[in-house]
Amino acid sequence: MMQSHFDFALALPEILLLIFGLAILLIDVLSKHPERKTTFCATLLALAVLFVVTLIQWKNGTHGKTFDGLYEADPLAHLIKLVSYVAVAVTLIYGRYYAQARDMLKSGELYVLTLFALLGQMVMISAGNMLSVYLGLELMSLPLYALIALRRDDATATEASMKYFVLGSLASGFLLYGMSMVYGATGHLDLAEIAAVVQSGHAAHQMALVFGIVFLVAGLAFKLGAVPFHMWVPDVYQGSPTAVTLILGAAPKLAAFAITLRLLVEGLHGLAVDWQPMLMILAVLSLAIGNLTAIVQSNFKRMLAYSTISHMGFVLLGLSAGVVGASAGGYGASLFYMIVYVLTTLGTFGMVLVLSRQGFECEEIEDLKGLNRRSPWRALILLLLMFSLAGIPPLVGFYAKLVVLQALIQQGQVALAVIAVIFSLIGAFYYLRVVKVMYFDDPVEDAGAVAPVPCGVRGVMSINGLLIILLGILPGGLMAACMQAIQVSLLH
């Protein structure tokens, strides 16, 4: 009988986050301030402590498994967690005044639910077993369902929450069914043991294993928002309060990407010949449907939702070009692309939050007319973000697309690279349309003056925009970190 091994030091970030979450819940109950300043500051402090602890673990080379393989700490987990902390902190900074103006801070659930969703994401990121993958997924999803419906008197938000709940339950069913078939074929739930059985070719039922992979890929594609499992993305992004849309569209995408790497690359890399063609099909469909549908959108949030779908196509292209045992290649490029996507998403939806004010939601593209005349700073930041999403050099979005295309070409998948370039050119149209509206259209009569921005929010937004430029000019550090994380953590 295997002796249990519990190394709590490896899981220190998760343990601390659970303690912080419960403490902030207590602080919120005792707080009488309607703006929840104490809760907000405590939440940011908790995220800062988690960032430092995880950074120390990464710098010290902390690497290992605990809780009988359920939990895994490695460079990949450390890197994605660090980006997740930053994403959640920036989201809360951007969304604070938006939420306050819409009475979303009266009872303070926003901060606590966001932290518990982050805890679920951290469990997913460090999952070493299919059980912990699913537990983390549910721990993340349940707070997100509640966050979307936080404005109880908003019928649109409630409808979006119901759609996400119903379709999310369906995706969870796909994942569970796929996991059960993989377990039945290999006799293991631990990802390392599954990989060993697959590599040896001694799986009890090869056909069941392949069918299990189909269901796993379907469930993962839903969480990433890839076609044809994308139906929830535009409706939920548009229907949610914009602050919650940003919570939903940033850090959870990193966690979904992490479990995709864990399940497919770490656990089932021996069957890449089966799942990589599936990812190729999903990628091409996502690029086509995402870009073509975004062109006809008049709602800015809905356009960004379809843009997200197309970017997930690029992420999947990188995964389909990865080769286990050779080099980081496509997997590293895909991780870099996902981090860049999250950074850019923070800026774009953050700008929607900044431009919204009490009684006015900046959701239509027409609301951006003449923005350069009303606020040149905001127009410039949004221009940089749109150009980066379109892949225009020297911004980081261009380099992110370039490394994925290089990985495809290195694997001889030139046709896929050409398709990706064509759809990127098509996608540039709707990004440039936003720029045209901001700089060349006259402001609408009822647009009025833009709302003043607090110094803290303005500073974070400026840093966000500056990073888009700096990482485009000097991408080497982040790219090396991504490659090293993949190399050490996954490519045995």
Side-chain angles (χ1 to χ4, degrees):
M1 182 177 179
M2 184 174 65
Q3 186 176 4
S4 295
H5 175 63
F6 298 99
D7 186 353
F8 291 98
L10 286 178
L12 184 59
E14 284 77 7
I15 295 170
L16 286 176
L17 179 54
L18 179 59
I19 295 171
F20 288 148
L22 295 175
I24 289 170
L25 180 62
L26 182 60
I27 290 171
D28 186 69
V29 170
L30 298 176
S31 175
K32 302 299 182 183
H33 202 289
E35 296 179 5
R36 294 296 190 271
K37 287 185 178 179
T38 306
T39 309
F40 174 70
C41 293
T43 303
L44 291 186
L45 179 61
L47 291 170
V49 172
L50 292 172
F51 186 92
V52 172
V53 170
T54 305
L55 186 61
I56 291 172
Q57 286 187 330
W58 191 18
K59 292 298 182 183
N60 291 341
T62 303
H63 192 167
K65 290 188 176 185
T66 187
F67 306 119
D68 291 334
L70 288 169
Y71 181 93
E72 185 171 0
D74 55 23
L76 177 65
H78 299 324
L79 175 59
I80 297 180
K81 284 177 187 177
L82 288 174
V83 181
S84 297
Y85 302 149
V86 173
V88 172
V90 172
T91 297
L92 294 178
I93 291 171
Y94 285 158
R96 170 168 168 72
Y97 295 96
Y98 175 96
Q100 182 182 327
R102 286 151 186 82
D103 295 329
M104 293 170 62
L105 298 181
K106 278 186 175 179
S107 51
E109 297 108 326
L110 179 69
Y111 300 120
V112 175
L113 288 173
T114 302
L115 287 180
F116 284 131
L118 176 61
L119 179 60
Q121 294 157 30
M122 293 169 67
V123 173
M124 293 165 67
I125 291 166
S126 287
N129 188 293
M130 289 195 293
L131 283 178
S132 45
V133 167
Y134 185 73
L135 287 173
L137 179 64
E138 291 305 299
L139 180 55
M140 176 190 76
S141 299
L142 292 174
L144 291 180
Y145 299 147
L147 280 169
I148 296 171
L150 198 57
R151 298 182 68 185
R152 300 176 183 86
D153 56 346
D154 188 338
T156 307
T158 305
E159 180 186 349
S161 180
M162 285 300 298
K163 286 179 180 177
Y164 189 44
F165 173 73
V166 172
L167 294 174
S169 301
L170 183 64
S172 296
F174 280 153
L175 273 175
L176 274 180
Y177 193 59
M179 289 175 180
S180 67
M181 296 186 83
V182 171
Y183 173 70
T186 62
H188 296 287
L189 291 170
D190 186 271
L191 296 176
E193 293 175 348
I194 290 171
V197 171
V198 170
Q199 202 68 33
S200 68
H202 295 151
H205 303 284
Q206 193 69 21
M207 187 62 69
L209 189 58
V210 174
F211 269 107
I213 291 173
V214 172
F215 282 99
L216 285 178
V217 169
L220 294 170
F222 175 90
K223 294 302 177 184
L224 289 170
V227 176
F229 307 98
H230 67 293
M231 304 81 69
W232 64 276
V233 178
D235 290 341
V236 173
Y237 274 39
Q238 182 183 358
S240 305
T242 307
V244 178
T245 303
L246 186 49
I247 293 173
L248 185 68
K253 284 288 190 289
L254 287 167
F257 179 73
I259 61 169
T260 303
L261 290 176
R262 297 291 185 196
L263 288 171
L264 299 183
V265 181
E266 184 176 350
L268 296 165
H269 60 80
L271 293 171
V273 68
D274 292 309
W275 56 258
Q276 282 188 331
M278 300 180 203
L279 297 188
M280 291 179 193
I281 295 171
L282 294 175
V284 173
L285 289 175
S286 298
L287 286 168
I289 301 298
N291 283 310
L292 293 175
T293 313
I295 290 175
V296 299
Q297 302 303 315
S298 60
N299 184 282
F300 192 36
K301 286 171 66 176
R302 203 170 182 87
M303 187 205 85
L304 291 174
Y306 282 106
S307 164
T308 294
I309 294 167
S310 70
H311 287 293
M312 290 306 105
F314 258 97
V315 171
L316 294 176
L317 282 179
L319 292 176
S320 66
V323 179
V324 171
S327 64
Y331 300 133
S334 194
L335 175 58
F336 181 85
Y337 196 101
M338 180 60 81
I339 292 174
V340 169
Y341 160 78
V342 169
L343 175 66
T344 315
T345 294
L346 288 170
T348 50
F349 280 105
M351 187 57 72
V352 175
L353 289 167
V354 167
L355 290 171
S356 299
R357 57 183 183 272
Q358 191 163 11
F360 172 72
E361 299 285 344
C362 180
E363 292 191 355
E364 299 295 324
I365 295 176
E366 286 193 354
D367 295 332
L368 301 172
K369 283 185 174 181
L371 180 61
N372 183 53
R373 301 182 196 176
R374 294 180 285 144
S375 177
W377 168 76
R378 298 180 215 209
L380 176 61
I381 297 293
L382 193 52
L383 176 142
L384 292 174
L385 294 166
M386 291 296 104
F387 277 6
S388 181
L389 287 170
I392 295 175
L395 303 176
V396 69
F398 168 75
Y399 186 79
K401 285 180 166 61
L402 180 63
V403 290
V404 171
L405 295 174
Q406 286 176 337
L408 287 169
I409 293 171
Q410 286 172 3
Q411 297 305 315
Q413 298 170 358
V414 179
L416 277 178
V418 171
I419 291 172
V421 170
I422 291 172
F423 282 116
S424 290
L425 292 173
I426 294 172
F429 169 80
Y430 55 85
Y431 295 123
L432 295 178
R433 180 180 62 177
V434 173
V435 175
K436 175 258 182 189
V437 166
M438 290 191 300
Y439 279 86
F440 299 105
D441 285 11
D442 295 325
V444 292
E445 291 182 3
D446 57 346
V450 293
V453 182
C455 291
V457 177
R458 189 182 182 92
V460 173
M461 182 63 75
S462 299
I463 293 171
N464 203 159
L466 188 61
L467 281 175
I468 297 295
I469 302 173
L470 291 180
L471 287 176
I473 298 172
L474 302 169
L478 180 57
M479 192 71 216
C482 293
M483 292 294 183
Q484 189 262 351
I486 294 291
Q487 193 77 41
V488 173
S489 306
L490 299 180
L491 304 186
H492 344 280

